[in-house]
Amino acid sequence: NCATLTVLTNVSATGPTNVVKCPGENTSFSVTPGGTGPFTYQWFKDGGELTGATNASLTVSNVTSAAAGAYCVVVTGQCGSVTNCAALTVLTNTTASPLTDQTRCFGQNATFATTPDGTGPFTYVWTFNNGVLAGQTNSSLTVTNLGSTNAGTYCVRVAGACGSVTNCAQLTVTTNTTASPLTSLVKCPGDSANFS
């Protein structure tokens, strides 16, 4: 009498891989099994079972900060099971504090500044009346020795890892106070004298 001995292969798996996304984007995790099947799959997030997530891939749509965490899959075959995990990191959209309108006199200086928020690094592009100001790539802009040609709209475009935002402010340059000189008068006693 004879018999056949078949030795199956222990379960193994590759994937999933870590993912970094911006809010509102979609992402997916996938795993490739090895060993002797058939295979079953069960996905978990931060240790909690995801109901109905029983395929080799998992899609997470329109991610928010609440979706960030550890995603694990248990792959089960004829010879045991294996658990693999990956992390979903959700970045923060770019925002920036508004610029403040300013009124200055001739010859004075004006400084515009913004404070970014979200996930950096951040870059800055300043414009004046829709024209790019070359070399102005910091979070603040100072305009010195103001004249009438400096009056107008100043904007900054702040870009980060997740999008960009543009804020603008108005600079008004006012004319310095002047007055016509007084005129010397010669009057007789009892006359009236007016200066203006």
Side-chain angles (χ1 to χ4, degrees):
N1 291 339
C2 298
T4 301
L5 171 63
T6 302
V7 180
L8 306 179
T9 306
N10 288 334
V11 173
S12 63
T14 57
T17 57
N18 295 334
V19 178
V20 177
K21 290 292 181 179
C22 292
E25 293 182 337
N26 300 330
T27 191
S28 63
F29 297 98
S30 63
V31 64
T32 302
T36 304
F39 302 101
T40 61
Y41 309 89
Q42 179 59 60
W43 289 87
F44 297 82
K45 177 185 181 291
D46 295 332
E49 182 177 302
L50 296 173
T51 303
T54 56
N55 296 318
S57 63
L58 172 71
T59 298
V60 184
S61 302
N62 192 26
V63 301
T64 64
S65 59
Y71 287 80
C72 298
V73 59
V74 177
V75 182
T76 303
Q78 290 198 45
C79 291
S81 64
V82 64
T83 301
N84 287 358
C85 298
L88 170 59
T89 301
V90 181
L91 307 179
T92 307
N93 286 330
T94 300
T95 61
S97 60
L99 303 179
T100 303
D101 291 341
Q102 298 187 44
T103 300
R104 293 288 184 267
C105 297
F106 273 61
Q108 292 183 332
N109 301 334
T111 298
F112 298 97
T114 186
T115 301
D117 195 14
T119 304
F122 300 101
T123 60
Y124 308 89
V125 176
W126 288 88
T127 62
F128 170 59
N129 290 340
N130 296 320
V132 174
L133 296 172
Q136 300 300 325
T137 57
N138 296 320
S139 61
S140 64
L141 169 72
T142 298
V143 186
T144 60
N145 193 26
L146 294 173
S148 59
T149 57
N150 300 119
T153 303
Y154 290 81
C155 298
V156 61
R157 179 181 181 270
V158 183
C162 291
S164 65
V165 62
T166 299
N167 291 333
C168 299
Q170 197 73 21
L171 174 61
T172 302
V173 181
T174 60
T175 305
N176 292 333
T177 302
T178 61
S180 58
L182 298 178
T183 302
S184 298
L185 299 176
V186 177
K187 293 291 182 178
C188 294
D191 290 345
S192 299
N194 294 316
F195 296 95
S196 63

